[in-house]
């Protein structure tokens, strides 16, 4: 497996697809990198030479923030929004969507699993709940 930017990219896939395993590189950036280095997109990652790997790393480092730098930059941006008390920062703090999505129904990715609120109808469960609360 070739190692780029601290990530082992899969060697059985085309290099165009393998580059996407690096955080911060998607389909468009992958194509740009291969055009700049003049490497065939259909080539398998396992067949890359050491010079080609060095060229890819040089192009990535010269042009973009990827992996740890990108993650650090994003987390600092979020921390800044929270510290200045902006609306988006408060949504991040509460774990709710920041970009105007509805929260009455969906938003389960940000909010987490459903927490049912209401009366327990089964008498045995109710007594077990009371016993558990008394034991606290």
């Amino acid at each position: 497996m070739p190692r780029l930017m601290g990530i082992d990219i899969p060697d059985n896939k085309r290099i165009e697809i393998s580059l996407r395993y690096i955080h911060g590189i998607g389909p468009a950036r992958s194509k740009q990198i291969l055009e700049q280095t003049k490497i065939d997109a259909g080539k398998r990652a396992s067949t890359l030479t050491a010079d080609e790997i060095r060229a890819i790393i040089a192009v990535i480092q010269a042009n973009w923030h990827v992996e740890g730098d990108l993650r650090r930059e994003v987390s600092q941006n979020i921390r800044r929004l929270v510290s200045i008390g902006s609306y988006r920062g408060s949504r991040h703090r509460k774990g709710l969507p920041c970009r105007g999505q509805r929260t009455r129904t969906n938003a389960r990715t940000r909010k987490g699993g459903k927490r049912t609120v209401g009366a327990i109808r089964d008498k045995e469960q109710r007594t077990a709940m009371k016993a558990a609360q008394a034991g606290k």
Side-chain angles (χ1 to χ4, degrees), residues 120 127-136:
I120 300 174
T127 54
M129 284 289 288
K130 285 182 182 175
Q133 288 176 351
K136 285 186 179 178

Side-chain angles (χ1 to χ4, degrees), residues 17-127:
I17 305 299
S18 294
L19 284 175
R20 297 182 197 179
Y21 281 73
I22 299 171
H23 180 76
I25 296 179
R29 248 187 216 166
S30 177
K31 288 177 187 174
Q32 287 177 353
I33 291 166
L34 295 175
E35 285 172 9
Q36 289 179 7
T37 56
K38 296 179 178 63
I39 297 174
D40 179 35
K43 194 172 189 178
R44 299 282 168 181
S46 59
T47 62
L48 289 175
T49 63
D51 292 333
E52 290 172 333
I53 291 174
R54 267 188 246 112
I56 290 172
I57 291 172
V59 167
I60 292 172
Q61 286 178 340
N63 297 318
W64 299 287
H65 293 286
V66 292
E67 278 304 319
D69 294 337
L70 180 62
R71 292 179 201 272
R72 195 174 311 105
E73 188 177 324
V74 169
S75 67
Q76 285 174 348
N77 289 341
I78 292 171
R79 228 177 290 124
R80 178 181 51 82
L81 289 170
V82 169
S83 68
I84 64 175
S86 69
Y87 177 78
R88 281 175 54 204
S90 68
R91 302 294 283 185
H92 273 291
R93 189 181 304 121
K94 294 174 187 174
L96 294 170
C98 300
R99 297 188 176 181
Q101 296 93 334
R102 67 182 294 143
T103 56
R104 182 175 180 172
T105 54
N106 302 326
R108 282 290 144 214
T109 302
R110 288 289 297 176
K111 290 170 70 173
K114 285 187 176 179
R115 290 178 298 235
T116 305
V117 177
I120 300 174
R121 303 224 182 277
D122 188 24
K123 191 172 186 177
E124 292 174 12
Q125 286 182 343
R126 205 174 325 128
T127 54

